[in-house]
Amino acid sequence: MTAKRVNYHHGDLRAGLVEATRQLVEEKGPDRFSVSDACRAAGVSTAAPYRHFGDRDEMLLAVCSDGMERFHALMTSAVAGKPPGTLEVIHDLGMAYIEFATSEPGVFRLSFGIAREHEKDAEIIERGKRNYAILLTQIAAHYGKTAIDEQVLDRAFALWTMVHGLSFLLIDEKITAMDLQIDIEAMIWDNTRRLLAE
Amino acid sequence: MTAKRVNYHHGDLRAGLVEATRQLVEEKGPDRFSVSDACRAAGVSTAAPYRHFGDRDEMLLAVCSDGMERFHALMTSAVAGKPPGTLEVIHDLGMAYIEFATSEPGVFRLSFGIAREHEKDAEIIERGKRNYAILLTQIAAHYGKTAIDEQVLDRAFALWTMVHGLSFLLIDEKITAMDLQIDIEAMIWDNTRRLLAE
DNA sequence: TGTACATCAGTGAACGCGCGTTCACTGATGTAC
DNA sequence: TGTACATCAGTGAACGCGCGTTCACTGATGTAC
């Protein structure tokens, strides 16, 4: 990343900058990321990004969008080839959430954390809804329903709340700060069961 | 706050700066807070804070500490005068958490959000544990126990996870972004019951 | 009660820094002929 | 195949800005006598 380029042209600077931005978001957090840092990492001048992005925020937007796509892939593979609506598959969706949050805490914060202007971006919202729909479908199947009704919405939200809370407690290191010992997998199993019980 | 002081001396600049810092943390978030802003708000020169605080971080630390104390008061009054261990009192503790998060989102983020250096501060950790102990005591009472055992730790953590997740979903505006309609109070009632069921 | 003096809270100017963004430019690339 | 030229990605210098912190200072306050 920091290596000097041989050519005047970069090849794919847009992708290079997005990757540099992603790494910096992980290292320093979405708030401490700076355009200059990303340029340094990509080995270009600080003016170069403006050929590809309108401003700093658009760079973060690109990282956020990519992240949502990776998360979509994680969810999709969590349900793939499994009988729909089982406790197992719903547990696995929860684990995928935790997996994403803990393996990419910076991008997770960017995508699921504090509301920024770009999070009102229509594409991001759309991706969010598409991801949530995967959960809704599984919950509906769990109750043997074909439509998303009140109960499905209600239970899905309860599950989201749980994995969302757990994600933040993990990445913000509250569990260690409080000297707690948590078996994540067991905890998700147990509470998924409780939250879905009829 | 912005008003010109009449006297050379401030009276209680420390408290004034803490309050200014708190307000700015609410307005802009803990990351966007600046010492200069706080000085402007308190009507003093930018050098003045260094009579009372070692650095920027210590100012945030003071706000965090005060916040934890207010939260302690909220929890204490949530349990006061109620029979211990009832679903009602545990529900009320959950509501107190949500209440704190939504009425002081900036301070909530500072206290319960991203791990910073100052959050390893012994006093902050201590306050956190003291607050958590209130919940543990109530859960123990709920199961008719006098000691904190595995089950109590386990159920308390599940409840914390839920209200923590809900708090972030609320203050990060994910609920409106996803077009969900949630009755917070009903949701906490229902899920507290589920998470405590034996 | 009045005065000398030590204390120290707050001043105002300055520091070096890194930031996001703009600008006129340059050099590599691809295409038309 | 070779050349002229349009395109545009990336340069490098500069901008104005606000930041956190330091410095020698000043003026208000409280205390000792």
Side-chain angles (χ1 to χ4, degrees):
Chain A
M1 263 306 138
T2 329
K4 265 270 180 261
R5 276 168 304 114
V6 168
N7 303 321
Y8 185 90
H9 284 262
H10 183 280
D12 192 354
L13 181 56
R14 200 196 133 88
L17 283 170
V18 170
E19 173 56 15
T21 302
R22 191 196 60 76
Q23 279 187 31
L24 286 163
V25 163
E26 289 306 332
E27 279 167 35
K28 317 197 163 187
D31 265 304
R32 315 260 168 133
F33 153 77
S34 81
V35 176
S36 319
D37 269 343
C39 292
R40 240 164 271 137
V44 291
S45 75
T46 58
Y50 298 90
R51 293 283 158 208
H52 302 276
F53 304 95
D55 56 16
R56 190 194 112 107
D57 231 44
E58 270 190 26
M59 298 175 71
L60 289 172
L61 180 66
V63 170
C64 180
S65 181
D66 282 12
M68 302 283 279
E69 198 177 335
R70 281 193 301 282
F71 180 51
H72 187 81
L74 265 184
M75 289 187 91
T76 301
S77 87
V79 303
K82 293 175 193 160
T86 56
L87 270 183
E88 195 205 343
V89 74
I90 293 165
H91 159 270
D92 290 351
L93 278 178
M95 287 300 292
Y97 202 90
I98 305 296
E99 171 68 22
F100 182 61
T102 54
S103 67
E104 306 195 38
V107 177
F108 177 76
R109 283 183 210 284
L110 192 61
S111 308
F112 292 89
I114 189 165
R116 287 157 204 292
E117 274 325 297
H118 78 248
E119 282 167 32
K120 278 152 194 150
D121 182 279
E123 190 221 325
I124 299 294
I125 298 270
E126 194 41 56
R127 283 189 190 275
K129 287 187 177 169
R130 212 144 50 210
N131 289 345
Y132 199 49
I134 298 180
L135 176 63
L136 291 173
T137 304
Q138 293 296 324
I139 305 284
H142 181 76
Y143 293 121
K145 292 173 176 170
T146 48
I148 310 296
D149 64 6
E150 275 302 314
Q151 185 193 28
V152 172
L153 283 169
D154 197 58
R155 296 298 88 213
F157 184 71
L159 284 165
W160 185 20
T161 300
M162 175 187 65
V163 294
H164 193 70
L166 184 55
S167 293
F168 275 111
L169 290 175
L170 281 166
I171 67 180
D172 289 334
E173 294 169 44
K174 299 305 166 199
I175 294 172
T176 48
M178 288 288 135
D179 292 328
L180 299 174
Q181 249 124 37
I182 308 294
D183 178 335
I184 304 301
E185 187 123 23
M187 190 233 168
I188 295 197
W189 262 116
D190 182 35
N191 293 308
T192 297
R193 201 173 33 69
R194 288 167 177 273
L195 294 175
L196 289 179
E198 286 193 84
Chain B
M1 263 300 140
T2 329
K4 267 269 179 259
R5 275 169 304 116
V6 169
N7 303 322
Y8 186 90
H9 285 261
H10 181 281
D12 191 355
L13 181 55
R14 199 195 133 87
L17 283 171
V18 170
E19 173 57 13
T21 301
R22 191 195 61 73
Q23 280 187 31
L24 286 162
V25 163
E26 289 307 332
E27 277 168 36
K28 317 196 164 187
D31 265 303
R32 316 260 168 133
F33 151 77
S34 81
V35 176
S36 318
D37 268 341
C39 291
R40 240 164 271 137
V44 292
S45 74
T46 58
Y50 297 89
R51 294 284 156 209
H52 301 277
F53 304 94
D55 56 16
R56 189 195 114 109
D57 230 46
E58 269 189 27
M59 297 174 71
L60 288 173
L61 180 66
V63 170
C64 179
S65 180
D66 281 12
M68 301 284 278
E69 197 176 336
R70 281 193 300 282
F71 179 50
H72 187 83
L74 266 185
M75 289 187 91
T76 302
S77 88
V79 303
K82 294 174 193 160
T86 56
L87 270 183
E88 194 206 343
V89 74
I90 294 165
H91 159 271
D92 289 351
L93 278 178
M95 287 299 292
Y97 202 89
I98 305 296
E99 171 68 23
F100 183 60
T102 53
S103 67
E104 305 196 37
V107 177
F108 177 76
R109 283 183 210 284
L110 193 61
S111 308
F112 291 89
I114 189 163
R116 285 156 208 291
E117 274 324 299
H118 78 249
E119 282 167 33
K120 279 152 192 148
D121 183 278
E123 189 221 325
I124 300 294
I125 298 273
E126 194 42 55
R127 282 191 191 274
K129 288 185 176 170
R130 212 143 53 212
N131 289 345
Y132 200 48
I134 297 180
L135 176 61
L136 290 173
T137 303
Q138 294 295 325
I139 306 284
H142 180 75
Y143 293 122
K145 292 173 175 169
T146 48
I148 310 296
D149 64 6
E150 276 300 314
Q151 186 194 29
V152 172
L153 283 169
D154 197 59
R155 296 297 89 212
F157 184 72
L159 284 166
W160 186 19
T161 299
M162 175 187 65
V163 293
H164 193 70
L166 184 54
S167 294
F168 276 110
L169 290 175
L170 281 166
I171 66 179
D172 290 332
E173 293 168 45
K174 299 303 167 198
I175 294 172
T176 48
M178 289 286 131
D179 292 327
L180 300 173
Q181 248 125 37
I182 308 293
D183 179 334
I184 304 300
E185 188 124 22
M187 189 232 169
I188 295 197
W189 262 115
D190 182 35
N191 293 307
T192 298
R193 201 172 33 68
R194 288 167 176 273
L195 295 175
L196 290 179
E198 285 195 84

